[in-house]
Amino acid sequence: MRAILPILIGAATLLAQTPPATKSPAPAPAKAASQPAPSTRLLSPALAKAKAPDLFRVKFTTTKGDFVVEVNRIDAPLGADRFYNLVKIGFFTNVSFYRVIPGSLIQFGLSPFPSVSKAWSTAALHDDPVKAHNVAGSVTFAMGGPNTRTTQMFINLSDANTQYDAMGFAPFGKVTEGMDVVKSIYSGYGDMSEMGGRGPSQAQATNLGKAYLDKSFPMLDSIKSATVIFPEAAPPAPTKKAPPKQ
């Protein structure tokens, strides 16, 4: 049985190794949900250029519990920097785990806001050389071909995914705590509709955002917050008090 690749579908075509999708009826458009407008920093990829620490950890708080991803920047510097910046600007807040293939992978990284997804669609990264392996727990950016990584990523659920190494998928981090939480993320919808599954359409989720996912796939788990927990942020410098007047 051919493997299903962790792809990112957009303007890019599917990788040649990806099985053709089964045609399915297009879901009805979702009504726009009332939600606050995205912040300016979410709409400005050009400003998210900070260099990540050599080693850092991120805690994801989700609807199923918490898990921690540890990143060694040396494994995939460009991917690590992008991940670090996405966390720092709050990109992952309210992001759904929209593609869950039991025993294979969990994919996420589409913004709840269509305008944010559009802004980041032209902010693709160059590829990192593959140094780490796509084993269970490793975290890797999805892509639709060379140099197409943006904001979507997947968590590997199997050591058998090392086949992705030769395809250019470069892991940048690994789940070091809470893998049981990761494995409990709702998987009832299966693969996305473009891949012949019962899950969300990636194109619809990109164009309609969280409103579409919440209406048509209410059982999906999501991320409440993602926070850098190591290294800890430096405390603010004490404010100097003016000397008393005589």
Side-chain angles (χ1 to χ4, degrees):
M1 181 172 62
R2 289 183 293 177
I4 297 175
L5 299 185
I7 55 169
L8 169 59
I9 302 174
T13 57
L14 301 184
L15 294 181
Q17 297 92 336
T18 305
T22 301
K23 291 184 179 180
S24 57
K31 294 181 181 179
S34 176
Q35 57 180 341
S39 65
T40 301
R41 61 182 184 172
L42 287 176
L43 293 166
S44 307
L47 301 180
K49 298 293 185 181
K51 179 181 176 181
D54 291 339
L55 175 69
F56 65 99
R57 299 185 188 97
V58 172
K59 183 176 79 171
F60 283 86
T61 297
T62 79
T63 49
K64 278 291 175 64
D66 298 347
F67 65 89
V68 174
V69 173
E70 182 174 277
V71 179
N72 281 283
R73 188 175 182 274
I74 195 172
D75 288 339
L78 298 179
D81 289 349
R82 170 59 58 86
F83 177 62
Y84 180 76
N85 281 279
L86 291 174
V87 172
K88 296 294 286 186
I89 65 174
F91 181 92
F92 294 106
T93 301
N94 212 26
V95 164
S96 296
F97 299 101
Y98 78 93
R99 184 189 188 197
V100 185
I101 308 174
S104 181
L105 60 87
I106 296 174
Q107 188 164 327
F108 62 102
L110 283 174
S111 174
F113 306 102
S115 58
V116 174
S117 292
K118 182 178 180 180
W120 284 88
S121 67
T122 56
L125 295 174
H126 287 290
D127 293 337
D128 280 304
V130 179
K131 297 179 182 178
H133 297 292
N134 285 279
V135 293
S138 60
V139 189
T140 308
F141 274 96
M143 61 183 186
N147 305 316
T148 58
R149 298 179 299 170
T150 54
T151 63
Q152 291 201 62
M153 55 196 67
F154 61 96
I155 302 172
N156 286 289
L157 300 178
S158 171
D159 289 343
N161 288 356
T162 52
Q163 61 184 309
Y164 299 149
D165 298 357
M167 299 175 189
F169 292 92
F172 63 84
K174 190 165 186 178
V175 176
T176 54
E177 298 177 36
M179 195 62 190
D180 56 330
V181 172
V182 172
K183 291 179 179 178
S184 72
I185 289 171
Y186 185 75
S187 61
Y189 298 121
D191 208 347
M192 57 191 180
S193 62
E194 285 91 345
M195 298 303 296
R198 295 174 52 250
S201 159
Q202 189 180 61
Q204 294 271 42
T206 301
N207 295 329
L208 299 175
K210 194 74 158 54
Y212 158 72
L213 295 176
D214 287 348
K215 178 182 178 181
S216 302
F217 302 91
M219 297 298 293
L220 290 177
D221 283 307
S222 61
I223 299 166
K224 295 180 179 180
S225 64
T227 309
V228 176
I229 57 172
F230 175 85
E232 297 179 2
T239 303
K240 292 183 179 180
K241 295 183 179 179
K245 294 182 180 180
Q246 295 183 349

